[in-house]
Amino acid sequence: MYNLIVGIVIVLSILMIIAIMMQPSKQNSAASAFTGGADQLFGKQKARGFEAVMQRATAIMAAVWLILLFVLVYLSSH
């Protein structure tokens, strides 16, 4: 069981990296590289289309990844 979950976590980690790399960049200028995009944090623009799908997929994969890691910690301690 432990090895199966470790395998799933590894595959999920690779998929999350791919999903994050596929997301379009939101930085328009060199100044936004220094601010870290803080000006867009409270913006009212919602993601649409492909960007929305990628954001949702990344969030779901991250949540599943985190849950699986907690399960691994529990299994390793017992």
Side-chain angles (χ1 to χ4, degrees), residues 19-76:
I20 291 169
M21 296 298 285
M22 287 179 62
Q23 291 183 13
S25 176
K26 294 180 183 175
Q27 295 182 353
N28 298 344
S29 65
S32 61
F34 295 113
T35 61
D39 54 338
Q40 295 177 357
L41 181 62
F42 299 106
K44 294 184 180 181
Q45 295 178 352
K46 286 192 173 185
R48 298 185 187 268
F50 178 73
E51 186 177 352
V53 171
M54 292 309 296
Q55 285 179 354
R56 183 167 291 153
T58 305
I60 291 170
M61 284 190 284
V64 171
W65 183 77
L66 189 63
I67 291 168
L68 287 176
L69 289 178
F70 282 125
V71 170
L72 282 176
V73 168
Y74 177 77
L75 288 177
S76 68

